[in-house]
Structures are given as C-alpha cells and as structure tokens.
Amino acid sequence: MISHRDSNAQRIAALDERAEALKLKRGMGIADARAMHPSIDVVEADPEADRRLLEGLADWCDRYTPLVAIDGEDGLFLDVTGCTHLFGGERAMQDEILTRFFEQGFDVRAGLASTPGAAWAAARFHGDRIVAGGAEEALLSPLPLSALRIAPETRISLESVGLRTAGAVMAAPRAPLARRFGATLLLRLDQALGRLDEAVSPRLPVAPLSVERHLAEPIMLTDDIERLVGRLAIALKADLERRGEGARALALLLFRVDGAVSRIAVGTSRPMREPQLIRKLFHERLTALEQNIDAGFGFDLVRLSVLSVAAFDMLQGDLAGEASDDDADIALFADRIRARLGEAAMLKPVVVESHLPERAVAVVPFAEAPRRRMPPKQSDRAAPPMTIYPPERPVRLFRSPEPIDVPATEIPEGPPMNFRWRRALYRVARAEGPERIAAEWWRQLPGEEEAPTRDYYRIEDSEGRRYWLYRQGLYGSAPQAAPRWFMHGVFA
C-alpha cells in the first residue's frame, strides 16, 4: 500500500489487488489498517516521482496522438480523433495501448467515447469499454455520482437528498438542481452527454507539421537514425514548399520499445527546408548527445516535427542556376555549432541605439540577431552619396573602464602628457581629441544625480601603442571633486 498525510493522519492513497482482497479501501487510516492486518507493507507516497512517471507515460502516448493531456494525478486524456484508422480502428488501437502498458508492467484501464466525460467514466468504472456515439446517457445512468467528475461536497449534498446515481440527476428538474447545487453540476452533465463541447488542452504544443516512420525492426545505431532523419526531411520539404515556409525549429522524437521517449531539438538562424542541411544539424546534435541517448532495445517509431516556421524567401539564381547568398554558409556554420555546443556557443554583437560606448553594443544569440540588409543599388546617373566616417573606436573595449593616474596635462582641458596604468608609466607621444560624450538624460531616474560628462582621447605612447581613455567630469564644474581619468579600450 501507499500512504499519504491527510488532516494530520496517515491514510491509504493507493493499494494493490492483494490489499483490496483484505477489504482495505482508499482513504482508510493506516492505524486502522494495521490493526486489521499487522503484517501489511506501507510505503510513503512520492508525489514528485509519480508526476514524473505520469509525464513519461504521456510522452510515450504521443505515438498515438499529439493531443495528450494529463488528468489529475493518475490519468491521461488522448484525443484520437482522426488517428484510429492508422492503427486498424478503435478496438485495435485500444487493445494495442492496453497490451503495451501491460508489457511495461502497468495495470491500466481505458475507455473510448465521443466526449471526454463519457470516456473518463468508461475507463474508471468499466475498465475496457468503447462507447458508441449517442450511448453516453445509457453508460452514465447506472453509475454513481462520482462518474460526473463533480466536487466531493456536491456529491455528498446530492446523496443527502436521495440522488445517488447519475441517472437520478439526469431525471431531476434542471432549474432546482442549478439553484441548489450550482451550475457546475449541469455543466459536467452536459459535457459528458455531448450537449456542450469540452476541449482537451494538450500538455505540449502541437507541431504544425510532422512526419513519422513506424519500424518493423527497431533501430539502435546513430547512423541509422541519421539516415532516417534525411528521409523524413524529404517528406517535410514538400509540405514546406507547398506552404511557402521554412523550418526555424525542429524536434526529433525517438520512441523506445519499452516506453521511454527521447526528444532532440535544433534551431535554425534562418528558415530551412533542405533535407541535407536538416540532416547535418541533427548529425551535430546526435553527436553531442550520443553518450546520453539510451537506445535500450531500440526505437520502433521515429518522428520529425517542425515546431516553428517562417516565410521562406526565394533567392534569384545567376546564369549558372546558383542562388547567391553570402551569409548562408555562415548561418549554417553557426547552426551546426549551436547544435553541437548549445545556444550560448555562438553569439553575435548587434548595434544598440546608445551613444555611450558600453551600451552601444549588445551580444545576443546568433539566431536572435537581426539579418543584415543590403543597401539598395544606386543607379549610374545618381549622385554618389556623401560618405560620413564614424569616430574611430578601439578593437578591444573593456567591460568596465579601468582607472588610471594622470599626474599632469598641458592645459586643464587637454590630453595627458603621461599616465600610469597597471603600475606602469606610459609617455604620450601623440593625442587626438577630445570627443565629448554626455550622459543619456532620458535614462536618468527622478532624483538621480546626473552622470558626469566624458571627454575621450585617442592616445599613442612613445612605443607606438594606442589607447582610448577619457576624463570623467569637467574642471570647475564641481570644486569638491576633481575630474578622474579612465582607460576604456586599446587599439590594434
């Protein structure tokens, strides 16, 4: 038996057939059960482990339908609309599910009906039944009130007035039921009978496109998986071309014969639908995860899904029939590196609208960086545009400016004659500047002190090394605080 704590008392949460034969029931106190049978074995419940097991079973049920939802602590909802013919019909599909669960060591009960409420009742009160359309009322009538999935307090109130079965509730006038017991009772009743629709919310988003292959002989080798990925990608390409889209995120699902499911996802920096390129991405990902993928006795079902799509831009080919895209090879290289080493392995600097050097550039994942736009071509007769050269910036910019010691300057507002940085003295041979950069006033919070103005200089020392340093603050602006000097970067 499995016990759990309820109202400061240990009670039976679940029990096997042998315990049921001893006339023990769920909800009974452990002390009473031990008084009746001192030799019983009791194990403390582990809700987190039970939840992980249920989620693993839900993953395995994806082989039958992508619409799988978790029902409470011990149940699953499978919306198999349009899927039963793939398994030989409703009875054949249900028998296969029950058989596979039994072979994995689970004792499960299943019910199939046109409404979730009727299927729930058929599974929990009959165990193995298929309810024909329109037979929901005949199924529910003899069942107890708990078959309607109502709250325990509502069930107790109904039993107190003599309504002990679902059929008795269906025969009673609806208006008095709603006034006394609430609208939820009639809602559950109408959902079970099909008068109102009840949606099953899947635990995972449904992929817009998927292709799969059922295998007569399970596969175990990575090379076999890669070859199968290439074949599935060919089938996906036709669907993507028809929709005018390309894949931005793909997932490979490997269903093991004993119930375990492996999910392998890759992302692309631009829409993709070429099977060979998709296979290369999964080659890198499978190589990185080869030690973590346990094939067990093999995979008997492989599914390739497109999780995210985007419009596919066609490129104009040249006279040789080849499309020219200078960034395509770089994007593919970045995607393969990300598939092998993770999203953080490839980062790209992007320009940010800020004139402060430390805020002017941000590093983002390669896939999230905006694509480079080519400028429009100028006609031969058009006047050449005016060239504006931006200020020169150092190759290496320090994350945090480092303070330096400047003993003297030629003039108060001029560049330093020499400076000391990292315990070394540097003599200035040439200087260029200043380039004044003020703080961004629109970022300043109310009541916050205004950041000092910076005067940047490009400095070359006596040995030809070049630096980018600045003076923070102005002479005479704050008598109590003299300007300070900082090193912000170095040139090549």
Side-chain angles (χ1 to χ4, degrees), residues 50 65 83 86 101 135 146 182 198 249 297-298 310 317 330 361 368 385 391 407 411:
D50 294 341
T65 173
C83 302
L86 301 175
F101 271 116
S146 53
E198 180 181 359
F297 294 101
I330 297 178
V361 176
E368 300 177 7
I411 56 176

Side-chain angles (χ1 to χ4, degrees), residues 53-347:
L53 174 62
L54 191 60
E55 290 178 350
L57 296 178
D59 287 339
W60 181 81
C61 286
D62 280 347
R63 64 170 53 233
Y64 299 106
T65 173
L67 301 174
V68 180
I70 292 180
D71 174 42
E73 299 177 353
D74 58 354
L76 297 174
F77 270 125
L78 278 68
D79 188 347
V80 296
T81 305
C83 302
T84 56
H85 69 280
L86 301 175
F87 301 89
E90 296 178 349
R91 172 52 62 183
M93 182 180 188
Q94 183 162 308
D95 290 344
E96 179 183 338
I97 295 175
L98 293 175
T99 301
R100 283 180 172 265
F101 271 116
F102 176 77
E103 292 174 349
Q104 297 177 35
F106 295 99
D107 181 15
V108 298
R109 301 174 181 179
L112 195 150
S114 57
T115 66
W120 189 92
R124 295 182 181 269
F125 292 92
H126 289 277
D128 182 12
R129 181 169 177 178
I130 297 178
V131 183
E136 294 84 7
E137 185 173 354
L139 167 75
L140 294 171
S141 293
L143 298 181
L145 296 177
S146 53
L148 296 178
R149 299 178 296 163
I150 57 178
E153 54 271 17
T154 305
R155 175 178 55 81
I156 295 174
S157 299
L158 288 168
E159 292 175 347
S160 65
V161 297
L163 301 176
R164 300 183 179 277
T165 63
V169 174
M170 287 186 282
R174 294 175 60 90
L177 287 176
R179 286 196 302 268
R180 183 167 182 178
F181 303 103
T184 304
L185 172 62
L186 299 181
L187 173 64
R188 285 300 193 186
L189 184 62
D190 292 339
Q191 288 176 340
L193 297 176
R195 298 169 184 167
L196 293 177
D197 293 333
E198 180 181 359
V200 175
S201 300
R203 54 186 293 268
L204 297 176
V206 180
L209 289 174
S210 292
V211 290
E212 62 184 33
R213 180 73 59 86
H214 290 265
L215 305 173
E217 293 292 335
I219 60 175
M220 303 175 61
L221 300 179
T222 303
D223 293 341
D224 295 336
I225 297 175
E226 291 182 15
R227 282 194 292 269
L228 193 54
V229 168
R231 295 174 184 174
L232 295 176
I234 294 175
L236 272 182
K237 181 181 179 181
D239 294 332
L240 290 172
E241 287 179 343
R242 185 176 63 255
R243 296 160 59 112
E245 297 173 336
R248 288 298 307 271
L250 299 107
L252 179 66
L253 279 70
L254 306 174
F255 294 85
R256 217 164 64 183
V257 294
D258 60 352
V261 182
S262 298
R263 296 178 180 269
I264 304 172
V266 298
T268 65
S269 55
R270 57 177 56 192
M272 179 184 297
R273 61 191 183 195
E274 285 300 323
Q276 192 63 25
L277 301 183
I278 294 176
R279 180 175 176 177
K280 288 182 179 180
L281 292 186
F282 278 104
H283 168 76
E284 302 294 345
R285 193 63 183 150
L286 288 170
T287 302
L289 299 176
E290 188 172 6
Q291 302 298 328
N292 299 327
I293 298 178
D294 183 8
F297 294 101
F299 304 105
D300 64 341
L301 174 62
V302 178
R303 178 183 298 159
L304 182 62
S305 301
V306 178
L307 304 180
S308 176
V309 296
F312 191 88
D313 297 331
M314 300 297 295
L315 298 177
Q316 177 66 41
D318 53 18
L319 295 179
E322 297 180 355
S324 58
D325 187 355
D326 298 336
D327 295 337
D329 294 338
I330 297 178
L332 177 60
F333 170 77
D335 292 340
R336 296 182 67 177
I337 294 296
R338 290 165 49 230
R340 176 72 71 94
L341 303 177
E343 291 292 330
M346 286 292 293
L347 304 176

